[in-house]
Amino acid sequence: MNSFFRYKQLLQLIITNFKEIVREPGVLFWGILFPILMSVGLGLAFTQKVNVVRKVAIIEEKSSSALHHDSISLKQYFQDASLAARDTVVDGTAGFTYTLLNDKLGNTTFIFLKTNWDNAMIWLKQGYVNVIMKETNGKVDYHFDPANSDAKLSYILLSGSNDKENADQIKPLTLSGTRYIDFLIPGLIAMGIMMSCMWGLSYSMIEKRSKKLLRRMVATPMKKSHFLIGMITVRVGMNFVESFLLFIFAAFAFDIRIQGNLPALFTIFIAGNIAFSGIAIFMSSRTSKTEIGNGLINAVVMPMMILSGIFFSYHNFPDWGIMIIQKLPLTMVADGIRSIFIEGGGFAEIAVSSLILTTIGIVFFVTGLKIFKWH
Amino acid sequence: MKPVIEVKGVHKSFKTVKAVRGIDLCINEGQFLALLGPNGAGKTTLVEMIEGIQKPDKGEILIMGKKWKGNENELHQLIGLSLQETYYTDKLTVLETLKLFASFYNLPVERCLEIMDIIRLTEKRKAYVVNLSGGQRQRLSLGIALLSNPKILLLDEPTTGLDPLARREVWEILLDLKKKSNTSMILTTHYMEEAEQLCDYIVIIDNGEILKEGTLKQLLEDNNGENIVNFTLEEVHISPELLIGNKRFNIQWDAVTGRGEVVLSQLENELPEFLGFLHTNNLRIKHLECQRKTLDDLFTSLTGRHLHE
Ligand SMILES: Nc1ncnc2c1ncn2[C@@H]1O[C@H](COP(=O)(O)OP(=O)(O)O)[C@@H](O)[C@H]1O
Ligand SMILES: [Mg+2]
């Protein structure tokens, strides 16, 4: 009798919680559509061969036409360009364009704009151009900041575009698992778990407290543990659906594959959910002000979003920084999922992280519960 | 008979405010008790201590002879309550909200249907809480309090902010309950009509203390036996000394509006005497009215303020 009683209560808590979540239109957008849009946006931006336009300022020597599009020197550079040079006017400045065709790297269109040195410097400072070609004594000098990799790339393309021999050495990475999108999707899944737990659990808990609903509910024979278990269960279930939909989309749109062990993936997924649910309960254990809740959640979420290598690898940070970053829960989840998705990893790769994540979750949950303000 | 709720010498302070300063109460089975007092009197603090939500600094609260500590589960089963403000989940329907709370008491769905009938929300069972009117929301709150057929009902300002019609609807539900069950109730309010209409026992509190308590009759009769009689006269131009300086009667006279007021302690003897006095002075009465004493008058005479200030 007693156990049946609890089961019914827990079931109702889960059902109402679920309804509450899915009836909020924001849930569909932020939980499901937003990650997919993000994967599309970032995936396309970084994986597609795009046609790039590069603007270059040219400064001619007086009475010379060495840099005219008929000039020998430029013609020589662009002899492979299958699009002929065309005169053009951009923002009132006369110039001409060439397009370098490359089916592996994508096409590059150069727009050469004729100007003088002073104006060219202004353009450079504004970032309007990042390379200046100046003709002196019939020779062309390139002026650019060597620390600017984009400028360097322009220079290499311009100065070496006639170097046909190297073209065959370019082997674009198209193998599944090595592209940017392969890096991104596991990160998005990890981020989804964090965001969904932190906002979904913390925020709705604080809201229930501020609306005095929490106070009202604990003034009944309701079991407090059931209440929390109900909320967490629904949240983890939602996270599963959201991650699954994102994966399905990525599988169709980008041919993403899971190369490693599925049960291991499930394990790290659950461990991540436990960690962030625990943290979420802890964060929401005292305050009844949604503004304070906002701040608290952001204070936890933002640093990890930036540091944990969701969008770009954290390996550019200094070594001591990487040591710390690798201990962040979001990093552990993202790296764990990544190792299974793209490195073909299994339990060996995620066992330690899963254990740490679970421990983090339990410690935060228990501490949060100790100081939890129901009234 | 053992009292249902006993409150003995209860105190409660917050940082700077002494919200409740030594209150004793005793409620018997089937009794409806009103805690009447203005905003900030300490009503909510007191009932929340009885509800087990807040803990007294000093004093003792017994419910069916039991303390809260260690008896939470049992006492939660006995008590139905509605807090001063609760916002139930916006996007749940009336029925879903009731079903959720019913599950805490292990009650079947039939009980939810029954309750919806009692609180007259059956038509609204599929409406989201967010779309209910103020009165409907208060009735839902009341319905949740009544779900488990509680022996004890604790309602904190159940009609505050409602229009008179919506208020009356809540009253009818409670009067019906009083007829049909032997539930004991504590209701807090700052509407004297509410206390008068619903409760057999009224406790007037202010500043965390009990000012006066008793049945409505006791409270109003025990008012130094004073009656206030208002009157206007046919004659407009009267010398004020005749009325104001009168030695026999305590008369107040407003020459501008032509209204007077006299305080009489014993109507039967003093009213005819007063009329005789007017007659002998050739003053003819145009209008005379014996003012009904209210709880608000009582409150004013005790504190110099009104209940709604
Ligand atoms: N949580 C609290 N913190 C500080 N002061 C409080 C708190 N709750 C109530 N008070 C103060 O205690 C007094 C009594 O409040 P309350 O019991 O809500 O009165 P009522 O319900 O009669 O309007 C008020 O002065 C109020 O400001
Ligand atoms: Mg109050």
mmCIF file of all heavy atoms in Angstrom, chain B residues 98 107 109-122 139-140 142-149:
data_model
loop_
_atom_site.group_PDB
_atom_site.id
_atom_site.type_symbol
_atom_site.label_atom_id
_atom_site.label_comp_id
_atom_site.label_asym_id
_atom_site.label_seq_id
_atom_site.Cartn_x
_atom_site.Cartn_y
_atom_site.Cartn_z
ATOM 1 N N LEU B 98 -5.594 19.825 -9.573
ATOM 2 C CA LEU B 98 -6.260 19.082 -8.502
ATOM 3 C C LEU B 98 -5.744 17.645 -8.427
ATOM 4 O O LEU B 98 -5.518 17.111 -7.347
ATOM 5 C CB LEU B 98 -7.779 19.084 -8.725
ATOM 6 C CG LEU B 98 -8.479 20.408 -8.398
ATOM 7 C CD1 LEU B 98 -9.918 20.389 -8.876
ATOM 8 C CD2 LEU B 98 -8.436 20.698 -6.904
ATOM 9 N N LEU B 107 -5.652 10.341 -3.157
ATOM 10 C CA LEU B 107 -7.090 10.397 -3.396
ATOM 11 C C LEU B 107 -7.386 10.053 -4.855
ATOM 12 O O LEU B 107 -6.578 10.353 -5.740
ATOM 13 C CB LEU B 107 -7.612 11.808 -3.107
ATOM 14 C CG LEU B 107 -7.396 12.311 -1.684
ATOM 15 C CD1 LEU B 107 -7.638 13.804 -1.615
ATOM 16 C CD2 LEU B 107 -8.305 11.571 -0.730
ATOM 17 N N VAL B 109 -9.393 10.152 -8.608
ATOM 18 C CA VAL B 109 -9.823 11.245 -9.485
ATOM 19 C C VAL B 109 -11.244 11.691 -9.162
ATOM 20 O O VAL B 109 -11.571 12.874 -9.300
ATOM 21 C CB VAL B 109 -9.780 10.779 -10.961
ATOM 22 C CG1 VAL B 109 -10.038 11.956 -11.885
ATOM 23 C CG2 VAL B 109 -8.449 10.136 -11.265
ATOM 24 N N GLU B 110 -12.078 10.754 -8.702
ATOM 25 C CA GLU B 110 -13.473 11.099 -8.407
ATOM 26 C C GLU B 110 -13.549 12.249 -7.401
ATOM 27 O O GLU B 110 -14.432 13.098 -7.471
ATOM 28 C CB GLU B 110 -14.241 9.896 -7.842
ATOM 29 C CG GLU B 110 -14.506 8.779 -8.841
ATOM 30 C CD GLU B 110 -13.261 7.976 -9.156
ATOM 31 O OE1 GLU B 110 -12.594 7.530 -8.201
ATOM 32 O OE2 GLU B 110 -12.929 7.812 -10.358
ATOM 33 N N ARG B 111 -12.602 12.236 -6.469
ATOM 34 C CA ARG B 111 -12.600 13.294 -5.458
ATOM 35 C C ARG B 111 -12.329 14.658 -6.113
ATOM 36 O O ARG B 111 -12.906 15.670 -5.720
ATOM 37 C CB ARG B 111 -11.541 12.974 -4.390
ATOM 38 C CG ARG B 111 -11.422 14.002 -3.283
ATOM 39 C CD ARG B 111 -12.720 14.181 -2.499
ATOM 40 N NE ARG B 111 -12.602 15.284 -1.539
ATOM 41 C CZ ARG B 111 -13.636 15.919 -1.009
ATOM 42 N NH1 ARG B 111 -14.868 15.559 -1.337
ATOM 43 N NH2 ARG B 111 -13.453 16.897 -0.154
ATOM 44 N N CYS B 112 -11.480 14.648 -7.147
ATOM 45 C CA CYS B 112 -11.198 15.903 -7.854
ATOM 46 C C CYS B 112 -12.459 16.420 -8.537
ATOM 47 O O CYS B 112 -12.739 17.617 -8.536
ATOM 48 C CB CYS B 112 -10.104 15.701 -8.901
ATOM 49 S SG CYS B 112 -8.561 15.112 -8.220
ATOM 50 N N LEU B 113 -13.215 15.497 -9.125
ATOM 51 C CA LEU B 113 -14.448 15.892 -9.808
ATOM 52 C C LEU B 113 -15.437 16.468 -8.796
ATOM 53 O O LEU B 113 -16.104 17.479 -9.052
ATOM 54 C CB LEU B 113 -15.057 14.699 -10.541
ATOM 55 C CG LEU B 113 -14.131 14.017 -11.558
ATOM 56 C CD1 LEU B 113 -14.814 12.815 -12.218
ATOM 57 C CD2 LEU B 113 -13.670 15.019 -12.622
ATOM 58 N N GLU B 114 -15.523 15.782 -7.641
ATOM 59 C CA GLU B 114 -16.404 16.237 -6.576
ATOM 60 C C GLU B 114 -16.040 17.666 -6.147
ATOM 61 O O GLU B 114 -16.901 18.534 -6.029
ATOM 62 C CB GLU B 114 -16.174 15.306 -5.378
ATOM 63 C CG GLU B 114 -17.405 14.660 -4.788
ATOM 64 C CD GLU B 114 -16.938 13.598 -3.797
ATOM 65 O OE1 GLU B 114 -16.583 13.951 -2.652
ATOM 66 O OE2 GLU B 114 -16.895 12.424 -4.198
ATOM 67 N N ILE B 115 -14.737 17.862 -5.932
ATOM 68 C CA ILE B 115 -14.257 19.176 -5.482
ATOM 69 C C ILE B 115 -14.557 20.248 -6.527
ATOM 70 O O ILE B 115 -15.012 21.346 -6.206
ATOM 71 C CB ILE B 115 -12.744 19.120 -5.188
ATOM 72 C CG1 ILE B 115 -12.489 18.469 -3.840
ATOM 73 C CG2 ILE B 115 -12.124 20.521 -5.211
ATOM 74 C CD1 ILE B 115 -12.895 19.306 -2.646
ATOM 75 N N MET B 116 -14.353 19.902 -7.805
ATOM 76 C CA MET B 116 -14.622 20.894 -8.856
ATOM 77 C C MET B 116 -16.073 21.315 -8.827
ATOM 78 O O MET B 116 -16.410 22.466 -9.114
ATOM 79 C CB MET B 116 -14.259 20.321 -10.225
ATOM 80 C CG MET B 116 -12.779 20.466 -10.507
ATOM 81 S SD MET B 116 -12.382 20.219 -12.208
ATOM 82 C CE MET B 116 -12.994 18.575 -12.436
ATOM 83 N N ASP B 117 -16.932 20.372 -8.459
ATOM 84 C CA ASP B 117 -18.346 20.676 -8.340
ATOM 85 C C ASP B 117 -18.571 21.638 -7.167
ATOM 86 O O ASP B 117 -19.292 22.629 -7.293
ATOM 87 C CB ASP B 117 -19.103 19.364 -8.118
ATOM 88 C CG ASP B 117 -20.555 19.516 -8.492
ATOM 89 O OD1 ASP B 117 -20.819 20.227 -9.488
ATOM 90 O OD2 ASP B 117 -21.410 18.963 -7.782
ATOM 91 N N ILE B 118 -17.925 21.329 -6.046
ATOM 92 C CA ILE B 118 -18.093 22.155 -4.848
ATOM 93 C C ILE B 118 -17.594 23.580 -5.090
ATOM 94 O O ILE B 118 -18.243 24.554 -4.702
ATOM 95 C CB ILE B 118 -17.332 21.519 -3.658
ATOM 96 C CG1 ILE B 118 -18.019 20.211 -3.250
ATOM 97 C CG2 ILE B 118 -17.266 22.478 -2.477
ATOM 98 C CD1 ILE B 118 -17.259 19.420 -2.210
ATOM 99 N N ILE B 119 -16.455 23.702 -5.733
ATOM 100 C CA ILE B 119 -15.908 25.054 -5.952
ATOM 101 C C ILE B 119 -16.414 25.665 -7.262
ATOM 102 O O ILE B 119 -15.958 26.722 -7.691
ATOM 103 C CB ILE B 119 -14.357 25.063 -5.924
ATOM 104 C CG1 ILE B 119 -13.773 24.122 -6.977
ATOM 105 C CG2 ILE B 119 -13.827 24.717 -4.551
ATOM 106 C CD1 ILE B 119 -12.267 24.195 -7.102
ATOM 107 N N ARG B 120 -17.358 24.996 -7.885
ATOM 108 C CA ARG B 120 -18.014 25.489 -9.103
ATOM 109 C C ARG B 120 -17.026 25.841 -10.214
ATOM 110 O O ARG B 120 -17.074 26.906 -10.811
ATOM 111 C CB ARG B 120 -18.892 26.691 -8.773
ATOM 112 C CG ARG B 120 -20.130 26.246 -7.995
ATOM 113 C CD ARG B 120 -20.742 27.384 -7.241
ATOM 114 N NE ARG B 120 -21.178 26.927 -5.937
ATOM 115 C CZ ARG B 120 -21.659 27.721 -4.989
ATOM 116 N NH1 ARG B 120 -21.757 29.006 -5.203
ATOM 117 N NH2 ARG B 120 -22.033 27.233 -3.848
ATOM 118 N N LEU B 121 -16.123 24.914 -10.451
ATOM 119 C CA LEU B 121 -15.179 25.112 -11.544
ATOM 120 C C LEU B 121 -15.253 23.972 -12.559
ATOM 121 O O LEU B 121 -14.366 23.827 -13.387
ATOM 122 C CB LEU B 121 -13.746 25.227 -11.012
ATOM 123 C CG LEU B 121 -13.356 26.545 -10.349
ATOM 124 C CD1 LEU B 121 -11.922 26.507 -9.863
ATOM 125 C CD2 LEU B 121 -13.547 27.722 -11.294
ATOM 126 N N THR B 122 -16.311 23.173 -12.472
ATOM 127 C CA THR B 122 -16.410 22.031 -13.379
ATOM 128 C C THR B 122 -16.318 22.474 -14.836
ATOM 129 O O THR B 122 -15.650 21.846 -15.646
ATOM 130 C CB THR B 122 -17.736 21.276 -13.136
ATOM 131 O OG1 THR B 122 -17.784 20.933 -11.756
ATOM 132 C CG2 THR B 122 -17.814 20.017 -13.975
ATOM 133 N N ARG B 139 -10.912 30.153 -5.670
ATOM 134 C CA ARG B 139 -11.755 28.966 -5.444
ATOM 135 C C ARG B 139 -10.963 27.694 -5.684
ATOM 136 O O ARG B 139 -11.133 26.707 -4.986
ATOM 137 C CB ARG B 139 -13.002 29.038 -6.320
ATOM 138 C CG ARG B 139 -13.962 30.040 -5.751
ATOM 139 C CD ARG B 139 -15.353 30.104 -6.293
ATOM 140 N NE ARG B 139 -15.623 29.626 -7.609
ATOM 141 C CZ ARG B 139 -15.908 30.404 -8.651
ATOM 142 N NH1 ARG B 139 -15.907 31.720 -8.519
ATOM 143 N NH2 ARG B 139 -16.206 29.871 -9.810
ATOM 144 N N LEU B 140 -10.060 27.741 -6.674
ATOM 145 C CA LEU B 140 -9.205 26.579 -6.905
ATOM 146 C C LEU B 140 -8.326 26.331 -5.674
ATOM 147 O O LEU B 140 -8.178 25.202 -5.197
ATOM 148 C CB LEU B 140 -8.329 26.810 -8.138
ATOM 149 C CG LEU B 140 -7.270 25.736 -8.410
ATOM 150 C CD1 LEU B 140 -7.921 24.377 -8.639
ATOM 151 C CD2 LEU B 140 -6.404 26.112 -9.598
ATOM 152 N N LEU B 142 -8.979 27.165 -2.687
ATOM 153 C CA LEU B 142 -9.856 26.630 -1.646
ATOM 154 C C LEU B 142 -10.144 25.153 -1.898
ATOM 155 O O LEU B 142 -10.148 24.330 -0.978
ATOM 156 C CB LEU B 142 -11.161 27.442 -1.636
ATOM 157 C CG LEU B 142 -12.189 27.117 -0.571
ATOM 158 C CD1 LEU B 142 -11.588 27.253 0.811
ATOM 159 C CD2 LEU B 142 -13.402 28.045 -0.709
ATOM 160 N N GLY B 143 -10.364 24.815 -3.173
ATOM 161 C CA GLY B 143 -10.626 23.425 -3.542
ATOM 162 C C GLY B 143 -9.467 22.527 -3.159
ATOM 163 O O GLY B 143 -9.670 21.419 -2.639
ATOM 164 N N ILE B 144 -8.249 22.992 -3.403
ATOM 165 C CA ILE B 144 -7.068 22.207 -3.044
ATOM 166 C C ILE B 144 -7.014 22.021 -1.528
ATOM 167 O O ILE B 144 -6.694 20.950 -1.030
ATOM 168 C CB ILE B 144 -5.792 22.888 -3.573
ATOM 169 C CG1 ILE B 144 -5.775 22.822 -5.099
ATOM 170 C CG2 ILE B 144 -4.540 22.231 -3.013
ATOM 171 C CD1 ILE B 144 -4.696 23.649 -5.754
ATOM 172 N N ALA B 145 -7.400 23.070 -0.801
ATOM 173 C CA ALA B 145 -7.411 22.970 0.665
ATOM 174 C C ALA B 145 -8.438 21.941 1.135
ATOM 175 O O ALA B 145 -8.227 21.248 2.119
ATOM 176 C CB ALA B 145 -7.714 24.337 1.275
ATOM 177 N N LEU B 146 -9.543 21.832 0.383
ATOM 178 C CA LEU B 146 -10.636 20.958 0.821
ATOM 179 C C LEU B 146 -10.484 19.518 0.332
ATOM 180 O O LEU B 146 -11.207 18.630 0.787
ATOM 181 C CB LEU B 146 -11.980 21.508 0.319
ATOM 182 C CG LEU B 146 -12.411 22.850 0.909
ATOM 183 C CD1 LEU B 146 -13.691 23.341 0.233
ATOM 184 C CD2 LEU B 146 -12.632 22.721 2.408
ATOM 185 N N LEU B 147 -9.548 19.297 -0.610
ATOM 186 C CA LEU B 147 -9.419 17.984 -1.262
ATOM 187 C C LEU B 147 -9.489 16.804 -0.295
ATOM 188 O O LEU B 147 -10.239 15.855 -0.502
ATOM 189 C CB LEU B 147 -8.082 17.917 -2.012
ATOM 190 C CG LEU B 147 -8.089 18.179 -3.507
ATOM 191 C CD1 LEU B 147 -6.663 18.215 -4.018
ATOM 192 C CD2 LEU B 147 -8.896 17.125 -4.247
ATOM 193 N N SER B 148 -8.691 16.887 0.742
ATOM 194 C CA SER B 148 -8.531 15.707 1.596
ATOM 195 C C SER B 148 -9.584 15.640 2.696
ATOM 196 O O SER B 148 -9.436 14.846 3.615
ATOM 197 C CB SER B 148 -7.136 15.732 2.217
ATOM 198 O OG SER B 148 -7.011 16.883 3.026
ATOM 199 N N ASN B 149 -10.645 16.437 2.582
ATOM 200 C CA ASN B 149 -11.646 16.475 3.636
ATOM 201 C C ASN B 149 -11.006 16.749 4.979
ATOM 202 O O ASN B 149 -11.181 15.993 5.935
ATOM 203 C CB ASN B 149 -12.366 15.127 3.719
ATOM 204 C CG ASN B 149 -13.782 15.266 3.219
ATOM 205 O OD1 ASN B 149 -14.418 16.303 3.444
ATOM 206 N ND2 ASN B 149 -14.260 14.240 2.533
#
